[in-house]
Amino acid sequence: MASDTTILQPFDFTKDHLANKQQGLWEMAFRRLIRNRLAFIAAIILVIITAVSIAGQFIPAVERHSATFQQYQVVNTGPNSEYWLGTDNLGRDLWARLLYGTLFSLKIGVGTQIVVLIVGITIGMGAALGGKISDTILMWITDLAYAFPDLLAIILLRQVLFGRDWPIIGTGDPQIPGFPSAILGTILAISLVSWVTIARLVRGQMLSIKEQDYVLAARAIGASPWRVVRAHMLPNTLSTVIVAVTFGIPLAIFAEGALGFIGLGVPSPFTSLGALMGDGYANLFVNNWQVVWPAIMVATLMLCFTFLGDGLRDALDPRTRK
Amino acid sequence: MTKSKWHLLLSIFAIFAILAFTAACGDDDDDDNGGNGGTTASPTSGGTAPTAVAKPSGTITIRTIQFESWDPHFSDFNQDIEHFFMVWRGLYHLDKDSKPQPAMADGMPTVSADGKTYTVKLKKDLKWSDGQPLDANDFVLGVQRTCNPDNAGHYQYILTAIVGCQDYYDAGKKTAEEKAALQKAMGVKAVDATTIEFKLTDPQPTFTILLALWPTFPAPKHKLATVDAKWPAPMDNVYNGPFKVSAYTEKDKMEVVPNDQYTAGQKAQVEKIVMRYIDDAAVALNAYRSGEIDATAVPTTQLKAVKADPTLGKELISYAATRTTGIEPNLKDPTLSKLEVRLALSQATDRKTLNDNVLNGANIVSTNWMPPDRSGNKAGIFDAAIGFDPAKAKENLKKAGYDNGAGFPKLTVLQTDSATNKAIGEFLQSEWKKYLNIDINLEYTDSKSRSSRFNSGNFQIVLGGWGEDYPDPENWILGLYETGGSINKQSCSMKAIDDIIAKAKFNQNDEQRRQQYRDAEKLIVENVCGMAPMWQVGFHAVVKPYIKGMVENKKPDDKQVPGDTSVELWTTTKK
Amino acid sequence: MIAYAIRRVLLMVPLLFAVATVTFFLMHSVEGGPFDTDKPMSEAARERLNEKYNLDGSLVEQYGHFMANTAKLDLGISISSNERPVRDIIQEKFGVSLQLGICAFLFAITLGVTLGAISAINQNGIGDYVGVFMATSGAALPSFILAPLLVIFFALKLNWFDVLGWELWNYKKMVLPSVAMGMLPGAFIARIARASMLDILRQDYIRTARAKGVKEFTVILRHAVKNALIPVLTILGPIFAGLITGSFIIENAFAIPGLGNAFVGSVLVRDYGVIMGVTLFYAGIIALMNLIVDLLYAVADPRIRL
């Protein structure tokens, strides 16, 4: 490649030009996103929540009390100046636990969607573009994963994944900083049942785009298949995928919460928003703030991701320009 | 054009939607069967306590849990047993002081001088709910079913004293003829239609109590061709208790109505009892609040809410159950085999703070293994030996070779997953770190995994305990703590304990026998031989004020609601 | 297309076979068995029970036995439900879940399409925000919190509905479970409907219609909403399948004896027969719904060749 550069001088201009145009598209999308007030506010709130919950892990002044420190003299107290959000049934500070649980849930949500994106796009693309046999086989695998009951899959996977010496996700010191085995195991278990949606979405979208005029035209003038995929098909699939992913993050957080609720949650001393809600639910009638804080947090995350997702979709879709 | 295709699709969809809507949610005119919420001030029948001759009236709805097996000669689940006592009765029935009183039997058994032969006379003209006669052979068949290897009853172990029961139970792999011979050879015979004779291998002092329990309930021989025949499902079965099944949907509800063939005792006083199957106790409590059910147990986590509620607080009834919970170390573990380690763990456990502050004061903190009422031991006599004492705990850990926790292996505490158990586990994790400077793992599994791990001895520490099957000290010791005992999964093995149990087992002298079990308890607890008791479990329930007979007949071994082994005493003044 | 449909239906057989195989071996790899209880059973008794439920012999033998029976459409008997045939249990429980699922589905569609249309028409205006906000806030709480909150407010405080159960034709028992279950899919439909409406509103034929002077109301109702429903239609399959096969959380929150409850219960007590039966049933329904969706894709968008 390097030796070719001098010979292909004239094309470089075109390349640069294209790159500029491409960048312009993203820039424009970004500008449109900022103009969408709701999406912009949502993005800012998400950044603040993430920043504060990360800061809580490193700066004692933010965490205020340890999330695991138990004080039996102050169990189930209401919000006050010492414990901003009150304490739980073991006398632990709910503010610290909320930060801890939020970060944990965000890790689960984002981690799940990263795995889902990688698996889903690969399989969806392979099915749409790899020819009939590849489509049949990959879609068969997708159907298999889809038809398998989620709950059973997660229960079984957790039994296989947890507490064993697997590389990276095994017990012991975390291999990826901030992602101990309890998180990775949960992420994998939830991802493995939720990549199907993205795969099917990508395949459907690509099948449809494949037949669009501009793609046919690009192929007719001899653009390489990879270029067609990269320059035309992937970006045009993106808007759909982004909506699914932004919705997928809170859904993964819900899924983890539901698991915790039926007694299959993350092991102590970890906690998540779902686990906090489960714990608080037991005290709904007397200490209702214990369920209120994590519920508000979950609802906020859900709303923010939704608005951000819609904003991104609108911003990325050239036809929705006003 | 594509448009016509779209129209077609839309039309199909619209038709489907409209059809489904009208079919499913269209009209709601006939919901007049609800009946709850409204306050129908119907005249109550004079006094509050109807007499025995009064016509049954009213419906009582209680919350319970779906039974696992309908077969009393097989099952060992709490909620199953609750069901059994509604519709079946044995020769005897335990009264509210847990003393056996004649039920199907006409008077107490005649016991031979050597204590090995029990003869029981039946009451006259007993009938099953379908009108068929109930005679001695039905009772013989019931006992045979419990000992039948092919039925594989969970509670066979309490009948091992009956001659031949164990041999029959162990004959699973033998031929049908051999099994039939062993079945015949069992020491339970119908002398005539109303006389049953039990022959025992050794004189068992508690045998009359066993004749009040479900493993000795009668089996309808006219419904069962052989001892191997399948136990009929609820709606196909026949009953000899105060009630009989009138409706049943799995995981939804069971309805029982008075059994008019039941003549052996107090007749049912309500028209119907509905057992509503609700898994989630918090949901059940909401249903109680809205008036959809009349009685339910209150879980620990809801206790504070109930006490704080002006209405529910008054309807709450709390009492000590015959159930003990504690820390169970596996003595096969090299670390836990050291007595000092076990003592240190027990002494570093602040039971009172855990119970009062974390568990809403739900239980009765105690280091006794047997409830004091049962054993005759005073409450708190073991506090000095194993009770909370951080200084002694540290000292013991040092003696065991782990000064200030140095070099102590990371033990794992295994529990079933529940909100309460999570809190207990996290409490222990934090407290043991504080007082002993040791780290532990918490492991939560579902109950099947836990049972599997526990029964195969594959654990270090579990949190668990024991619920009494029958009201006698022997039920708390026998099989649980002697070397090789069938339920001794913590591998407690001390010669002194073995010797006492061997002496007590068939001791005809009741007071001596009880003292021997007290001695055994002392050895078990002070050596933390597989158990460091934490508390006697508290039973909490709410019962609507218009229901009588539940709270009045409460027993420490009630299953799901107070007094549920004596349903014939329940009355209601509602409606 | 008919050839495609036939091919897909034929592919369902190996699919179900694969689901059954994976489930079978994973299920048996989970710790604990159906006869593990607090009080340990004697070895002899355990052997007898294993024999009774065909759990003796090696796993491969058990697998062969199960497959042979399944091929004969015999799903065996339940271990925990008094030896009832698994098929009876599925029939009974699915009946309840189907009713609840259909009502939740109708609620979800009504909610989703209405809110989606309102949002799209007023893009980035107050109506949009209100629509999106309403759709999202309903789904902002996970159902295991939403359901008890609905119960506390509408059943305990206002006394409008019952706490327990499901009963067809009795609105007191129908509304809350349907709403609690339909909220999340409703929000999802609203988002898809909004996106697809926005798409349609920019199409040439809408502009043409407006230019012709057709009333805005007619444009939206006759042209936009109708056509925007097509992409919505394609996601309804999986949503419908998900709803009618029951939700453990909702069934637990209202004590409804449905399929989700039965399934989780069977997993917890290791009732192998019911686990396998329900898994196959789930898989069959979902595979069928997927096929329908794929066919709908083709019908709705003629550019997709199958």
Side-chain angles (χ1 to χ4, degrees):
Chain A
M1 266 307 256
S3 61
D4 291 344
T5 4
T6 42
I7 307 168
L8 292 169
Q9 198 68 40
F11 287 99
D12 274 0
F13 173 73
T14 332
K15 235 189 215 164
D16 281 345
H17 179 69
L18 274 174
N20 269 341
K21 249 184 88 184
Q22 203 80 333
Q23 209 184 5
L25 185 96
W26 287 104
E27 247 170 43
M28 245 152 58
F30 183 67
R31 252 185 274 131
R32 276 202 297 267
L33 182 66
I34 292 181
R35 269 216 310 275
N36 182 337
R37 272 164 295 167
L38 210 51
F40 187 62
I41 295 170
I44 289 180
I45 294 177
L46 282 177
V47 169
I48 293 174
I49 290 176
T50 314
V52 174
S53 57
I54 291 175
Q57 305 301 296
F58 299 107
I59 310 168
V62 177
E63 195 187 17
R64 294 180 55 81
H65 298 88
S66 161
T68 52
F69 183 61
Q70 306 175 3
Q71 280 180 293
Y72 313 114
Q73 298 75 37
V74 289
V75 294
N76 297 322
T77 56
N80 57 48
S81 59
E82 179 62 23
Y83 303 98
W84 290 349
L85 306 184
T87 59
D88 71 359
N89 61 342
L90 286 162
R92 293 174 296 200
D93 181 28
L94 281 175
W95 165 256
R97 289 186 71 72
L98 185 70
L99 293 186
Y100 191 91
T102 305
L103 187 63
F104 192 96
S105 288
L106 281 173
K107 282 179 188 169
I108 299 246
V110 176
T112 305
Q113 290 309 305
I114 290 173
V115 179
V116 161
L117 266 183
I118 295 170
V119 179
I121 290 185
T122 312
I123 293 206
M125 247 170 61
L129 310 173
K132 207 152 203 162
I133 295 177
S134 148
D135 188 19
T136 308
I137 294 174
L138 287 177
M139 276 302 107
W140 192 77
I141 293 175
T142 311
D143 283 350
L144 177 63
Y146 198 75
F148 205 79
D150 292 0
L151 186 76
L152 183 69
I154 292 177
I155 292 174
L156 297 172
L157 283 170
R158 279 172 42 94
Q159 286 256 357
V160 179
L161 294 176
F162 270 30
R164 301 196 187 172
D165 290 325
W166 293 100
I168 302 175
I169 60 162
T171 48
D173 291 333
Q175 310 266 310
I176 306 171
F179 284 83
S181 66
I183 296 190
L184 287 178
T186 311
I187 286 176
L188 273 190
I190 298 176
S191 314
L192 286 177
V193 298
S194 44
W195 59 270
V196 181
T197 326
I198 297 278
R200 292 182 66 86
L201 217 57
V202 168
R203 173 181 172 271
Q205 201 71 13
M206 287 212 162
L207 279 180
S208 160
I209 293 170
K210 204 161 79 168
E211 309 293 330
Q212 300 271 3
D213 296 341
Y214 61 91
V215 173
L216 292 175
R219 277 157 73 179
I221 60 163
S224 72
W226 175 233
R227 204 197 128 71
V228 171
V229 169
R230 191 169 49 89
H232 298 291
M233 302 188 67
L234 267 183
N236 279 298
T237 315
L238 213 60
S239 64
T240 323
V241 170
I242 281 176
V243 175
V245 164
T246 46
F247 209 63
I249 292 177
L251 278 186
I253 293 176
F254 278 22
E256 190 280 323
L259 282 180
F261 193 72
I262 59 172
L264 297 165
V266 291
S268 312
F270 301 108
T271 193
S272 66
L273 289 177
L276 286 175
M277 278 190 285
D279 294 349
Y281 167 69
N283 287 329
L284 198 58
F285 280 93
V286 264
N287 312 316
N288 51 24
W289 62 86
Q290 288 177 0
V291 76
V292 163
W293 305 126
I296 288 178
M297 184 56 87
V298 159
T300 310
L301 289 179
M302 182 84 179
L303 285 168
C304 287
F305 276 113
T306 306
F307 293 143
L308 184 63
D310 278 344
L312 279 172
R313 199 209 73 94
D314 292 354
L316 286 169
D317 186 350
R319 277 178 306 177
T320 54
R321 235 172 306 176
K322 268 214 161 162
Chain B
M1 258 290 284
T2 54
K3 210 167 180 186
S4 63
K5 266 186 188 166
W6 293 5
H7 272 288
L8 179 72
L9 258 177
L10 275 172
S11 321
I12 293 170
F13 169 71
I15 290 168
F16 163 75
I18 290 163
L19 275 178
F21 207 92
T22 44
C25 315
D27 59 337
D28 44 47
D29 51 334
D30 53 350
D31 66 296
D32 50 345
N33 54 344
N36 60 295
T39 48
T40 41
S42 56
T44 54
S45 56
T48 42
T51 55
V53 285
K55 249 189 95 179
S57 72
T59 296
I60 295 177
T61 306
I62 61 167
R63 175 252 178 164
T64 185
I65 303 169
Q66 167 71 44
F67 58 82
E68 300 246 340
S69 165
W70 189 240
D71 185 349
H73 307 121
F74 173 77
S75 181
D76 69 343
F77 292 95
N78 228 337
Q79 67 271 25
D80 300 21
I81 296 162
E82 176 192 45
H83 283 80
F84 299 157
F85 275 113
M86 296 209 170
V87 293
W88 286 298
R89 283 298 153 90
L91 292 166
Y92 297 91
H93 189 63
L94 300 179
D95 64 13
K96 79 190 244 247
D97 303 318
S98 296
K99 294 268 176 305
Q101 302 295 344
M104 297 292 131
D106 192 15
M108 298 309 282
T110 320
V111 187
S112 65
D114 63 356
K116 288 188 186 178
T117 306
Y118 280 65
T119 311
V120 182
K121 275 294 221 188
L122 286 180
K123 286 190 173 123
K124 296 237 157 29
D125 296 326
L126 293 173
K127 285 196 179 72
W128 291 98
S129 56
D130 61 351
Q132 293 289 319
L134 166 67
D135 64 31
N137 286 305
D138 294 306
F139 281 92
V140 172
L141 184 61
V143 173
Q144 287 173 340
R145 288 190 86 244
T146 299
C147 300
N148 181 0
D150 294 320
N151 195 36
H154 289 246
Y155 262 101
Q156 176 268 346
Y157 80 95
I158 69 168
L159 298 185
T160 46
I162 295 178
V163 168
C165 176
Q166 191 63 41
D167 293 341
Y168 183 34
Y169 194 67
D170 291 340
K173 287 220 153 58
K174 299 207 167 132
T175 63
E177 292 81 48
E178 284 173 304
K179 280 187 210 171
L182 285 167
Q183 182 197 339
K184 271 228 169 72
M186 272 178 63
V188 53
K189 301 250 151 45
V191 177
D192 58 53
T194 58
T195 314
I196 310 151
E197 184 193 87
F198 297 92
K199 282 218 181 315
L200 308 185
T201 55
D202 296 279
Q204 184 170 9
T206 51
F207 192 70
T208 314
I209 294 176
L210 303 186
L211 295 180
L213 304 181
W214 53 102
T216 60
F217 279 5
K221 60 184 177 310
H222 64 286
K223 284 274 181 184
L224 298 159
T226 66
V227 73
D228 295 329
K230 185 176 172 253
W231 190 246
M235 292 299 286
D236 308 326
N237 220 315
V238 291
Y239 305 98
N240 75 325
F243 286 86
K244 62 183 179 186
V245 180
S246 65
Y248 169 62
T249 313
E250 196 184 336
K251 297 219 164 133
D252 185 14
K253 65 180 174 189
M254 173 179 274
E255 295 180 3
V256 295
V257 295
N259 173 9
D260 41 25
Q261 305 287 351
Y262 177 75
T263 52
Q266 167 75 50
K267 285 211 165 220
Q269 302 174 61
V270 290
E271 276 170 71
K272 195 197 276 179
I273 296 174
V274 180
M275 281 172 274
R276 189 68 176 77
Y277 300 136
I278 307 169
D279 288 333
D280 190 331
V283 173
L285 203 56
N286 282 342
Y288 179 85
R289 285 191 175 98
S290 77
E292 285 164 69
I293 55 174
D294 301 321
T296 179
V298 177
T300 310
T301 47
Q302 301 284 335
L303 203 54
K304 210 173 163 188
V306 170
K307 278 182 186 161
D309 188 298
T311 319
L312 265 57
K314 273 187 229 134
E315 292 161 11
L316 175 71
I317 163 103
S318 296
Y319 49 101
T322 38
R323 196 177 290 265
T324 301
T325 296
I327 301 162
E328 301 184 306
N330 186 347
L331 273 70
K332 282 218 173 114
D333 182 89
T335 314
L336 292 166
S337 64
K338 295 174 187 149
L339 171 63
E340 291 84 5
V341 171
R342 303 198 300 268
L343 285 173
L345 293 180
S346 177
Q347 287 160 344
T349 305
D350 186 354
R351 298 161 171 82
K352 190 167 162 26
T353 301
L354 174 56
N355 182 58
D356 294 357
N357 295 15
V358 180
L359 302 178
N360 298 328
N363 307 302
I364 299 95
V365 169
S366 162
T367 48
N368 287 45
W369 166 237
M370 293 189 257
D373 290 353
R374 186 66 69 232
S375 65
N377 266 335
K378 268 200 219 66
I381 56 166
F382 306 121
D383 285 357
I386 67 159
F388 178 56
D389 190 340
K392 269 197 209 163
K394 279 200 188 90
E395 200 180 306
N396 272 320
L397 198 67
K398 190 175 174 180
K399 265 193 242 165
Y402 307 101
D403 191 10
N404 194 27
F408 196 82
K410 198 166 183 183
L411 297 175
T412 297
V413 176
L414 178 69
Q415 285 174 279
T416 45
D417 200 321
S418 75
T420 306
N421 281 348
K422 274 222 162 108
I424 297 174
E426 286 171 3
F427 179 91
L428 292 180
Q429 196 173 40
S430 149
E431 291 278 284
W432 289 356
K433 177 79 188 164
K434 184 157 73 183
Y435 298 124
L436 301 175
N437 194 28
I438 59 172
D439 288 304
I440 56 165
N441 285 320
L442 300 176
E443 192 181 351
Y444 297 95
T445 65
D446 64 13
S447 72
K448 291 290 182 191
S449 290
R450 182 197 170 279
S451 295
S452 162
R453 294 266 299 274
F454 182 67
N455 291 338
S456 60
N458 177 20
F459 67 96
Q460 291 179 305
I461 298 173
V462 297
L463 286 184
W466 182 253
E468 184 181 80
D469 298 316
Y470 56 93
D472 192 89
E474 91 179 2
N475 186 240
W476 290 84
I477 309 282
L478 206 57
L480 281 95
Y481 293 106
E482 69 267 35
T483 308
S486 67
I487 315 171
N488 179 3
K489 297 303 171 187
Q490 307 96 305
S491 303
C492 168
S493 177
M494 282 181 64
K495 195 169 176 307
I497 297 176
D498 292 352
D499 288 347
I500 293 190
I501 293 177
K503 271 187 232 152
K505 197 171 174 185
F506 297 121
N507 194 338
Q508 288 282 75
N509 181 332
D510 196 55
E511 198 28 59
Q512 208 175 39
R513 186 177 72 90
R514 286 173 190 274
Q515 182 56 45
Q516 280 159 339
Y517 282 123
R518 279 195 284 273
D519 295 344
E521 181 188 25
K522 186 172 156 63
L523 283 169
I524 293 161
V525 173
E526 292 188 345
N527 288 293
V528 197
C529 204
M531 169 53 77
M534 294 201 291
W535 52 69
Q536 199 184 339
V537 176
F539 184 83
H540 311 275
V542 278
V543 179
K544 294 280 184 195
Y546 47 76
I547 293 183
K548 297 278 174 279
M550 270 191 189
V551 176
E552 290 80 353
N553 294 293
K554 68 180 174 13
K555 278 199 293 196
D557 64 339
D558 286 333
K559 312 300 177 195
Q560 302 290 330
V561 294
D564 57 3
T565 51
S566 304
V567 281
E568 67 273 25
L569 302 173
W570 293 1
T571 63
T572 175
T573 47
K574 189 185 171 195
K575 263 192 250 178
Chain C
M1 194 166 108
I2 290 171
Y4 175 82
I6 292 173
R7 193 156 52 92
R8 283 287 297 272
V9 170
L10 287 180
L11 274 173
M12 270 173 68
V13 176
L15 179 83
L16 291 180
F17 178 78
V19 167
T21 308
V22 174
T23 313
F24 187 89
F25 287 102
L26 278 181
M27 172 179 88
H28 280 280
S29 75
V30 173
E31 195 176 48
F35 310 121
D36 283 315
T37 56
D38 282 356
K39 294 198 182 76
M41 195 182 267
S42 76
E43 264 321 299
R46 183 185 290 269
E47 273 170 31
R48 299 302 298 160
L49 287 172
N50 280 338
E51 219 171 280
K52 183 165 168 184
Y53 294 101
N54 292 317
L55 297 173
D56 52 343
S58 73
L59 210 52
V60 179
E61 276 169 35
Q62 290 181 39
Y63 174 70
H65 191 269
F66 171 79
M67 280 300 166
N69 280 338
T70 308
K72 287 182 272 174
L73 292 179
D74 172 12
L75 291 172
I77 52 172
S78 157
I79 298 172
S80 68
S81 298
N82 227 42
E83 301 176 33
R84 270 179 87 190
V86 170
R87 207 167 3 156
D88 284 9
I89 296 177
I90 293 179
Q91 249 168 29
E92 182 182 296
K93 302 304 166 200
F94 180 61
V96 176
S97 289
L98 182 67
Q99 293 170 6
L100 170 57
I102 288 175
C103 284
F105 183 66
L106 295 178
F107 171 76
I109 293 182
T110 317
L111 180 82
V113 172
T114 315
L115 289 180
I118 292 173
S119 282
I121 294 161
N122 308 295
Q123 194 195 0
N124 290 335
I126 295 296
D128 189 9
Y129 295 154
V130 171
V132 172
F133 189 82
M134 276 176 66
T136 319
S137 57
L141 285 176
S143 50
F144 63 85
I145 290 295
L146 180 68
L149 288 184
L150 288 175
V151 166
I152 288 168
F153 191 72
F154 290 103
L156 296 185
K157 289 243 156 41
L158 295 177
N159 252 319
W160 289 356
F161 307 111
D162 282 359
V163 175
L164 291 183
W166 171 264
E167 195 185 312
L168 209 53
W169 312 128
N170 182 351
Y171 80 95
K172 279 191 153 190
K173 291 186 186 291
M174 287 174 80
V175 173
L176 290 184
S178 305
V179 170
M181 203 171 175
M183 267 299 182
L184 195 66
F188 192 56
I189 293 173
R191 290 162 55 81
I192 302 282
R194 175 182 179 273
S196 117
M197 272 284 281
L198 286 178
D199 221 33
I200 299 286
L201 285 173
R202 276 164 192 78
Q203 299 284 346
D204 292 340
Y205 64 87
I206 297 286
R207 254 181 263 161
T208 316
R210 280 183 179 147
K212 272 196 313 193
V214 179
K215 268 191 231 144
E216 184 67 14
F217 184 75
T218 320
V219 171
I220 287 164
L221 212 68
R222 288 269 316 264
H223 302 278
V225 171
K226 263 182 169 181
N227 292 328
L229 277 181
I230 302 292
V232 175
L233 218 51
T234 60
I235 61 157
L236 292 185
I239 288 180
F240 186 66
L243 289 175
I244 59 169
T245 44
S247 148
F248 169 74
I249 301 272
I250 300 297
E251 288 169 10
N252 184 58
F254 295 95
I256 295 170
L259 201 56
N261 204 337
F263 180 65
V264 173
S266 71
V267 172
L268 292 181
V269 304
R270 314 285 191 268
D271 191 341
Y272 295 133
V274 178
I275 298 178
M276 289 305 295
V278 178
T279 304
L280 280 176
F281 182 75
Y282 270 143
I285 285 195
I286 288 170
L288 206 67
M289 285 296 160
N290 265 342
L291 172 60
I292 293 172
V293 169
D294 286 352
L295 293 180
L296 283 181
Y297 259 125
V299 176
D301 191 343
R303 285 168 304 190
I304 296 174
R305 286 191 304 239
L306 291 172

